[in-house]
Structures are given as structure tokens and as C-alpha cells.
């Protein structure tokens, strides 16, 4: 077996549309079985990505759904051949469900980040170390290359993300929150749950006491000799932080049924309206108008976040066009995700209810909580969030370690067949 190359190799360019995601899925399908299991840990560089799917920007924003990717892969490969890929897809689900039941982890990360940014002011040594890392001038060949790759492509291979985070924390001795913030803003797939919990996992804060140490030997082998890093930390003592996270009950999937004239709001959390609306309680609810809005993009420590911002902007337009066609309703992009902008649109469309996909823990969920209160209080408009059955079935198993969810994967896959709302068109060549 050899690594995929030539026309099958995925490119460094992530076109921001569902059609591009479906094309990527179609190209990757032949590799999703034994080939992926054997080669997924190898990082051959940005122009040689045929051994991984490169689907994360599309899954992150749900231009593609996990359900349709899993169904397409399992239509092509046996469950045992596709087992490794399927498990990886469920890591995203696990992290989202885990953060959902421990929102205190997100709050602690946000306040820890503020604290570390403030502490930089008083520490010229740390400011210099950070500047050196961000300029790609640490002298650690792989790290210096990944900083450039992150800035230029908005993507890093999973193994490179693990090595990068490990070197950041244990060799460069930089605060993990500053590294997590860099990834969250600079990655096209930047995701509060996968990112925060992965950084915590590397630091020994997720599986308490168990850290991830990047070694020169592992990097040499898994980058096919592209790098030969020197000076890496030889030990990775777990970071210590107070446990921020009592378990919280999952919020209900749908707080109330949409009433009256209803509009649909798309956010960067979930852009595939056809599968969101189909087969759910929302199917019986005609959508009179469609809108979409993004959060403002803040610069990262590497400067402007040009690629992620452009991807999110165009992906939202793509989602809006598909939603408008699905609902046979007018679509309008709002200048901002704010109560004021939504109220003005809802007023013009004479709406009493706005329905949106459930936003998992993170900045969009925080914004929607404020918006819902303001819409109801000041305009009498109800904002209803709807959680997909895929998340609804899986998240209750994500409260502790990954293993508990992993053992439920066969049941969760079986339940997909019954959920029309998650079973969107699964012909990746149709580009629908
Ligand atoms: C420090 C660190 C930070 C990360 N930050 C993010 C982030 O902000 N956003 C993000 O989407 N992923 C993040 N990941 C997870 C993972 O690296 C990416 O999802 C993966 O590399 C995406 O590439 P791919 O689609 O080619 O993956 P593939 O190997 O083809 O995997 C298929 C899909 O499975 C899921 N997946 C695979 N590995 C993981 C994983 N370790 N955790 C969660 N889901 C996974 C993704 O949806 C991915 O698209 C992070 C990992 C680490 C170690």
C-alpha cells in the first residue's frame, strides 16, 4: 500500500462551498478504509494530503454533516475497514458533547486567556519567546515551518497540531491558552470544542495527568524525514489547574415548538438547512424567510485571519443560497449577528419566531443567548434552537472519556438510518 498521490491527493486549497466539500468527500472515499487507517498519521506537507480527508472545514461549519459523511464512507467500506475513520469523525462529536456538559471548561479557558494576555504585558521574556515562535524563529525546523503553513493555508494535519501544541507547551513553555487562541482564530476549521479540549489533552488537563510529548524520532518518521527537530523537551510534566468543570445537564433539544410566522437563521455553526429541516418537528413548519449572520472576526496573534474569515463569509453565502432554495423563501445576509439586525429583518418579514440550529458551547452560543433575551424582551420575538438527532443521540455518551462514546458507535450508526433530518442526500458526486 502506498500513500495517495496524483489526482487523488487532496490539495491545500479549501473552497468554501458545499459542492467543494462533496467533491473532496468523493475524492477521498476510496482512501477512507484500510488506507486511511495505515497512513493517517503521516504528515507529508500541504501539497500531499491524500492520506486524510481534509473535510474538517466543511464538517466544522456543517456544510457537510457528520451523518452524510459516515453514510457515504460506510456505503463504500465495511464497518471494520472504515472503523478508524469512523472513530475519528466521532472524536468531533465527543468533544462537542463533552464541552456541552462541561461549559465551565470553556468559561475557564476564556478567563485564562484574558489572564495570560494581561500577564504578557509584565513579562518581556515571555513576549520575546512568543514573538520568536510566531515569527517562526525558534530554530526548531518543524515548528517554524508549521507556523508558516498555519498562516498560509489555515490548516495543519492532526499530528502536526499535536506536535505543535506539545512543543508550544513543553519546549517553548508558552501558556496553552495563547496557543489555543492562535489555532482557534487561524484555522479554517477553528472549533471551540475540538480545539480547547485537544490543547487541554496535550497539556495533561483533559485526561488528568496524561500528557502528549512530541519526540524528534516520531516527527522524523511521520513527516517522512522532512524534519529533524533539535532541542525538544524530553519530559512533559502535566500542567495543573483547578478542575473548572462540574457536570451540567444537557439542555433540551428543542425548548419550544415554533409558533406563528417563522424565519430561519443560519450561523457558522450549521449551514446545511435541508437536512436540518427535513424529517424533524421543523418539517411541518413553513419557513417564511431566511437569514444568516457571522460573528465579527478578531485578529489572532499572527495578525489578520484572512483565510478563516473569507471561508466563513463565503460558506455562509453558500448555506443561505441552499436554504433559500429549500424553503422557497427570500434570503438576506445580515451585517452582524446581533439582536438589532435580526429584529429589523424579522420586523420587515413580519415574523414572530426565528428558528436556528442549536449552537454548541462557544462564542456563537454566547451571542445567541444574549440575542434571544433581547429579541423576546424588546420585540416579542422568540428565538428557538433545534438540535440535530445526531448530536441528541451521541452527546449523552460524551460526558466522561471517549471510550464510553466509542462503544456506542454501532448503535449511533444504526440510529442514523432512522433520522431523516440527518440523512441528507448522500450522493457525493451529485454536488447538491
Ligand atoms: C491541538 C489540536 C487542536 C485542534 N483544533 C481543531 C479545531 O480547531 N477544529 C477542528 O475541527 N479540529 C481540531 N483538531 C482536530 C483534528 O486535528 C482536525 O479535526 C483534523 O486534523 C482535520 O483534518 P481532516 O479533516 O483531514 O481529518 P481526518 O483525519 O480526515 O478526519 C476526519 C474527520 O474526523 C474528525 N477528526 C479527526 N481527528 C480529530 C480529532 N483529533 N479531534 C476531533 N475531530 C477529529 C474531523 O471532523 C475530521 O474532519 C485539533 C487537534 C489538535 C491536536
Amino acid at each position: 500500500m502506498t500513500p495517495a498521490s496524483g489526482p487523488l491527493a487532496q490539495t491545500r486549497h479549501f473552497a468554501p462551498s458545499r459542492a467543494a466539500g462533496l467533491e473532496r468527500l468523493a475524492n477521498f472515499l476510496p482512501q477512507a478504509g484500510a488506507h486511511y487507517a495505515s497512513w493517517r498519521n503521516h504528515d507529508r506537507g500541504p501539497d500531499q494530503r491524500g492520506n486524510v480527508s481534509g473535510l474538517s472545514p466543511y464538517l466544522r461549519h456543517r456544510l457537510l454533516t457528520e451523518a452524510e459523511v459516515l453514510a457515504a464512507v460506510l456505503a463504500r467500506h465495511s464497518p471494520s475497514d472504515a472503523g478508524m475513520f469512523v472513530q475519528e469523525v466521532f472524536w468531533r462529536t465527543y468533544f462537542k458533547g463533552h464541552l456541552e456538559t462541561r461549559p465551565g471548561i470553556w468559561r475557564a479557558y476564556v478567563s485564562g486567556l484574558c489572564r495570560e494576555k494581561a500577564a504578557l504585558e509584565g513579562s518581556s521574556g515571555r513576549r520575546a519567546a512568543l514573538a520568536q515562535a510566531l515569527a517562526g524563529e525558534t530554530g526548531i525546523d518543524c515548528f517554524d515551518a508549521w507556523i508558516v503553513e498555519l498562516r498560509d493555508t489555515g490548516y495543519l494535519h492532526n499530528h502536526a497540531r499535536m506536535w505543535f501544541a506539545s512543543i508550544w507547551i513543553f519546549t517553548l513553555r508558552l501558556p496553552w491558552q495563547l496557543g489555543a487562541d492562535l489555532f482557534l482564530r487561524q484555522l479554517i476549521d477553528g472549533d471551540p470544542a475540538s480545539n480547547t479540549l485537544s490543547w487541554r489533552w496535550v497539556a495533561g488537563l483533559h485526561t488528568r495527568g496524561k500528557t502528549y510529548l512530541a519526540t524528534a524520532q516520531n516527527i522524523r518518521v511521520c513527516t517522512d524525514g522532512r524534519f529533524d527537530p533539535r532541542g525538544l523537551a524530553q519530559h512533559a510534566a502535566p500542567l495543573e489547574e483547578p478542575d473548572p468543570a462540574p457536570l451540567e445537564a444537557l439542555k433540551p433539544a428543542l425548548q419550544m415548538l415554533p409558533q406563528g410566522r417563522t424565519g430561519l437563521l443560519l450561523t457558522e455553526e450549521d449551514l446545511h438547512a435541508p437536512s436540518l429541516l427535513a424529517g424533524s418537528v421543523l418539517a411541518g413548519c413553513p419557513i417564511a424567510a431566511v437569514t444568516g449572520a457571522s460573528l465579527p472576526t478578531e485578529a489572532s496573534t499572527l495578525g489578520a485571519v484572512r483565510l478563516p474569515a473569507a471561508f466563513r463569509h463565503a460558506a455562509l453565502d453558500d448555506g443561505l443560497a441552499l436554504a433559500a432554495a429549500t424553503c422557497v423563501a427570500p434570503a438576506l445576509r445580515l451585517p452582524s449577528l446581533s439582536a438589532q439586525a435580526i429584529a429589523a429583518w424579522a420586523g420587515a418579514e413580519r415574523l414572530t419566531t426565528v428558528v436556528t440550529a442549536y449552537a454548541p458551547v462557544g462564542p456563537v452560543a454566547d451571542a445567541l443567548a444574549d440575542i434571544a433575551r433581547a429579541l423576546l424582551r424588546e420585540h416579542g420575538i422568540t428565538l428557538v434552537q433545534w438540535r440535530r438527532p445526531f448530536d441528541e443521540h451521541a452527546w449523552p455518551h460524551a460526558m466522561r472519556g471517549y471510550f464510553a462514546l466509542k462503544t456506542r458507535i454501532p448503535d449511533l450508526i444504526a440510529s442514523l438510518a432512522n433520522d431523516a433530518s440527518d440523512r441528507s442526500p448522500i450522493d457525493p458526486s451529485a454536488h447538491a
Side-chain angles (χ1 to χ4, degrees), residues 59 113 207 235 239 345 357:
L59 288 168
L113 177 62
T207 309
H235 303 284
L239 302 191
W345 163 75

Side-chain angles (χ1 to χ4, degrees), residues 237-379:
L239 302 191
E240 285 182 18
E241 285 183 11
D243 190 347
L247 200 61
E248 291 186 22
L250 279 175
K251 295 194 189 85
L254 184 69
Q255 290 92 349
M256 63 193 80
L257 284 172
Q259 304 281 332
R261 203 171 145 82
T262 300
L264 174 68
L265 167 69
L266 295 186
T267 73
E268 64 205 55
E269 295 298 333
D270 195 317
L271 294 170
H272 193 238
S275 59
L276 182 72
L277 299 173
S280 71
V281 290
L282 302 178
C285 156
I287 298 292
V290 177
T291 194
S294 308
L295 288 174
T297 46
E298 291 169 33
S300 82
T301 39
L302 263 187
V305 287
R306 192 177 47 81
L307 287 172
F311 187 93
R312 276 204 298 276
H313 190 92
L316 182 58
D317 282 346
D318 195 59
L320 274 175
L322 189 54
T326 305
C327 302
V328 196
L332 177 73
R333 187 193 176 99
L334 299 179
S336 64
L337 185 60
S338 68
Q340 202 184 17
I342 295 170
W345 163 75
E349 296 291 347
R350 295 174 288 108
L351 305 174
T352 53
T353 303
V354 175
V355 68
T356 191
Y358 184 86
V361 168
V364 174
D366 291 345
L368 288 182
D370 292 342
I371 288 169
R373 277 189 292 273
L375 281 180
L376 192 59
R377 192 180 55 231
E378 289 157 32
H379 307 278

Side-chain angles (χ1 to χ4, degrees), residues 100 250-254 357-358 385-389 391-392 395:
E100 201 61 28
L250 279 175
K251 295 194 189 85
L254 184 69
Y358 184 86
Q385 294 195 37
W386 162 246
R387 191 156 68 229
R388 287 173 182 268
D391 299 332
E392 189 60 13
W395 287 0

Side-chain angles (χ1 to χ4, degrees), residues 10 14 24 28 36 40 49 51-60 66 69 84-95 155-166 179-180 183-185 187-202 212:
Q10 308 281 47
F14 296 94
R24 198 171 265 272
F28 176 68
Y36 177 82
R40 73 193 171 91
R49 289 274 178 249
N51 54 333
V52 289
S53 71
L55 289 174
S56 55
Y58 305 95
L59 288 168
R60 157 67 183 100
E66 293 90 329
V69 168
M84 187 55 75
F85 183 78
V86 169
Q87 280 177 35
E88 292 302 319
V89 172
F90 273 101
W91 270 102
R92 172 180 301 279
T93 315
Y94 167 70
F95 283 141
Y155 177 92
L156 290 177
H157 184 282
N158 179 60
H159 219 165
R161 297 181 197 206
M162 291 162 62
W163 294 319
F164 184 109
S166 179
F183 269 23
L184 185 63
R185 294 183 194 288
L187 287 167
I188 290 176
D189 63 27
D191 175 80
S194 288
N195 190 56
T196 311
L197 295 174
S198 294
W199 275 86
R200 285 176 59 86
W201 177 82
V202 170
Y212 177 74

Side-chain angles (χ1 to χ4, degrees), residues 102-125:
R102 285 188 170 73
I105 292 181
W106 173 253
R107 290 194 291 268
Y109 158 69
V110 172
S111 57
L113 177 62
C114 288
R115 201 175 53 242
E116 293 299 346
K117 280 182 173 169
L120 276 178
E121 300 297 320
S123 169
S124 57

